[in-house]
Amino acid sequence: MPEAARFAEEGYVVLSYSTRGFGTSGGLIDTAGPLDMADLSNVIDYLIANFDVDPNAIGTAGISYGSGISLLGAAHDPRIRAVVAMSTWGSLTEALYGQETPRLIWGELLTLSSGLTGNPDPIIRDTWNKVLNREDMESVYAWTGIRSPLNYVNDINANGTAVYISQNWGDNLFQPNSVLDLFSQLTVEKHIDLQPGTHAGAEIGGLLGGGDTHVLNNVHRWFAEHLKGESGAMENQKPVNMKVKFTSGYQQYDAFPVPEAYEQTFYLQPRNLFSNGRLSDSPFQSWRAQDNSINSLFDTVATTQVPLLSQILEQLDVPVLANMAHVARPHGIVFETSRQWSTMQIRGNAELSLMVQPKSDTLHLVAYLYDVNLFGTGKLITHKPITVHQTSAGDTIRVDFPLTTVAYDIPAGNKLALVIDSKDLLYAGPAGVRTIDFEFSNSEQSTLTVPLL
């Protein structure tokens, strides 16, 4: 590979191996489980025993599958002094079943590709089927839990391993939220680059293009600083680099959540016959409670569009678009701010808190944020689904959940819009048609809280 050759030219000893169940390696795919951890330690043993290497300067790197093994390996083997984890995961539970919603497209791709490219353990398909059918979830959580680096942060910290992470805003396999949870809990030397694109897009694209990219250059800088001891190799970059969607260049911050950001709360106001709902600075006030209803019979134009492809196009500055006037009122609801006098700079996790009344025994919603121009056309900023099981039909409940982390600038003159419906191709929702009421009253407010600069 080009990067291996580049590392060799820089004086590193590079060992690449096929994990169990792939290539000519024996055994079954262990999905970054205990057997993979033992294999990684054995590989390090072999490297030290057979090559002239410094046993105190061992690093591991990987994209996607290899990144998770690298992070987990750093928790299990203290000889690993530096890690590069590109398009990685913090919680495998979140990746497959975040907010109790199966990641349909990516889950199927993972299980299908494991069979096409390797020798999968039957437990992989069994676990995914349990997720889809919500059966024996205790065994699912046990299986995903031991494969989640977020559960081993204390071990990584204790081992003192320096951790570099690259993650992409549009990675709908490993959405950045749990990765940033992991990053924020690390007390070791750490750095994260966050940029537009889909899973492995910024990293694989750089490899195919020769490797001269921000991410891959930082990979080399990270190892130079933490394996070779070249002080200042990272060029005094701050720990958090964010590339704002549809812009060039990175913005640097000292930590995540971004210390400079403040939280602005918008209160959801009901729609009426002739206008959308509003996102207001003031709480809802009325002498009587109100409600708005949607149902899940059909999807709306609010969507992440074509899985994988749309996020690749976002990396090429081609946005996912939807016109707010075309969101079908029976199946979705729109809330908008007034036009903004200045640029609205979003940095981090927007949070939703909704008062809803499901009319059935399960609730499933998908929330989207849009940047809406003068013509009512919205660019997708971020989104997130949530499913609540075993609701009581007719009971009003509060639903709190974060949207996917993002960095985005809404230009002056545009609006911020929140759209909520109950379908998206990326996710598996409950079967059947369901009706949901959004409740508005003086005593129980629904809010959208956005981190802004």
Side-chain angles (χ1 to χ4, degrees):
M1 292 178 63
E3 285 304 291
R6 181 176 167 187
F7 275 119
E9 290 176 0
E10 294 172 355
Y12 295 94
V13 175
V14 181
L15 189 156
S16 177
Y17 74 100
S18 296
T19 54
R20 63 173 51 234
F22 288 101
T24 57
S25 292
L28 302 176
I29 297 172
D30 194 40
T31 320
L35 296 176
D36 279 320
M37 296 304 99
D39 290 343
L40 178 59
S41 290
N42 288 335
V43 167
I44 294 173
D45 291 341
Y46 176 84
L47 181 68
I48 293 172
N50 291 277
F51 297 90
D52 183 18
V53 299
D54 181 353
N56 297 310
I58 302 294
T60 58
I63 301 174
S64 188
Y65 191 52
S67 72
I69 290 176
S70 294
L71 276 174
L72 288 161
H76 287 83
D77 195 320
R79 294 175 296 179
I80 298 173
R81 306 312 306 148
V83 161
V84 166
M86 296 173 282
S87 284
T88 195
W89 68 91
S91 166
L92 191 57
T93 309
E94 169 73 19
L96 296 178
Y97 193 59
Q99 295 167 167
E100 299 193 13
T101 307
R103 273 44 179 170
L104 179 63
I105 296 298
W106 279 105
E108 290 294 339
L109 282 173
L110 284 176
T111 51
L112 177 63
S113 62
S114 68
L116 293 176
T117 60
N119 188 17
D121 189 320
I123 197 173
I124 297 173
R125 170 52 72 176
D126 291 344
T127 299
W128 177 237
N129 286 339
K130 289 175 182 177
V131 169
L132 287 176
N133 297 306
R134 200 169 178 269
E135 296 174 348
D136 190 16
M137 293 306 296
E138 286 189 7
S139 70
V140 171
Y141 296 144
W143 189 83
T144 57
I146 62 174
R147 292 164 170 83
S148 296
L150 185 57
N151 294 337
Y152 298 91
V153 173
N154 291 340
D155 298 294
I156 297 174
N157 289 334
N159 290 339
T161 311
V163 177
Y164 169 89
I165 297 173
S166 169
Q167 203 70 17
N168 305 319
W169 300 128
D171 188 341
N172 288 318
L173 171 57
F174 301 140
Q175 292 175 336
N177 296 45
S178 72
V179 176
L180 283 161
D181 287 343
L182 180 150
F183 180 83
S184 66
Q185 294 178 42
L186 288 171
T187 57
V188 295
E189 290 291 319
K190 60 184 179 179
H191 183 93
I192 188 167
D193 286 323
L194 297 145
Q195 53 276 317
T198 189
H199 182 64
E203 300 84 11
I204 292 293
L207 289 174
L208 296 176
D212 187 15
T213 65
H214 175 85
V215 169
L216 294 179
N217 286 332
N218 265 356
V219 169
H220 287 263
R221 295 182 185 114
W222 192 252
F223 280 150
E225 183 154 316
H226 295 286
L227 297 184
K228 287 186 172 182
E230 295 180 8
S231 178
M234 285 297 290
E235 300 179 340
N236 297 316
Q237 295 180 58
K238 292 184 177 181
V240 177
N241 278 2
M242 290 184 176
K243 189 173 185 181
V244 180
K245 288 178 72 171
F246 309 118
T247 68
S248 59
Y250 287 78
Q251 296 180 354
Q252 299 187 30
Y253 304 98
D254 290 320
F256 186 88
V258 174
E260 296 88 341
Y262 67 95
E263 291 187 342
Q264 180 166 345
T265 297
F266 298 98
Y267 296 88
L268 277 59
Q269 311 281 347
R271 70 185 178 191
N272 60 38
L273 187 60
F274 302 105
S275 65
N276 290 326
R278 291 186 298 118
L279 295 173
S280 171
D281 293 335
S282 302
F284 171 79
Q285 295 293 325
S286 176
W287 61 273
R288 66 181 180 87
Q290 299 180 38
D291 62 66
N292 295 148
S293 296
I294 66 171
N295 67 65
S296 63
L297 182 60
F298 296 110
D299 199 359
T300 72
V301 297
T303 174
T304 53
Q305 291 189 0
V306 182
L308 187 62
L309 175 61
S310 293
Q311 287 67 53
I312 293 174
L313 292 175
E314 278 195 335
Q315 190 173 335
L316 302 174
D317 292 338
V318 179
V320 174
L321 301 175
N323 192 287
M324 299 300 98
H326 297 158
V327 176
R329 284 185 155 228
H331 315 302
I333 187 167
V334 181
F335 303 92
E336 298 176 309
T337 65
S338 58
R339 299 214 172 272
Q340 300 300 297
W341 290 102
S342 59
T343 301
M344 181 183 288
Q345 298 176 290
I346 301 173
R347 300 290 185 274
N349 301 343
E351 302 270 350
L352 262 177
S353 182
L354 302 174
M355 293 301 298
V356 293
Q357 185 183 97
K359 301 297 185 180
S360 55
D361 58 0
T362 306
L363 172 71
H364 177 71
L365 298 171
V366 188
Y368 308 85
L369 288 188
Y370 285 94
D371 165 17
V372 182
N373 65 17
L374 290 169
F375 304 101
T377 298
K379 291 182 182 179
L380 182 63
I381 300 171
T382 187
H383 79 285
K384 200 76 166 183
I386 189 167
T387 307
V388 181
H389 300 276
Q390 297 177 337
T391 57
S392 296
D395 285 355
T396 299
I397 60 173
R398 181 172 291 280
V399 179
D400 298 317
F401 61 106
L403 277 66
T404 304
T405 313
V406 74
Y408 189 96
D409 290 347
I410 299 175
N414 285 10
K415 298 179 179 180
L416 171 66
L418 166 68
V419 183
I420 305 172
D421 65 16
S422 58
K423 290 183 183 295
D424 194 287
L425 285 173
L426 282 176
Y427 308 105
V433 178
R434 287 167 164 76
T435 298
I436 306 103
D437 286 354
F438 295 84
E439 302 291 329
F440 305 90
S441 70
N442 295 351
S443 60
E444 297 286 0
Q445 302 286 332
S446 291
T447 60
L448 169 68
T449 302
V450 185
L452 300 176
L453 293 182

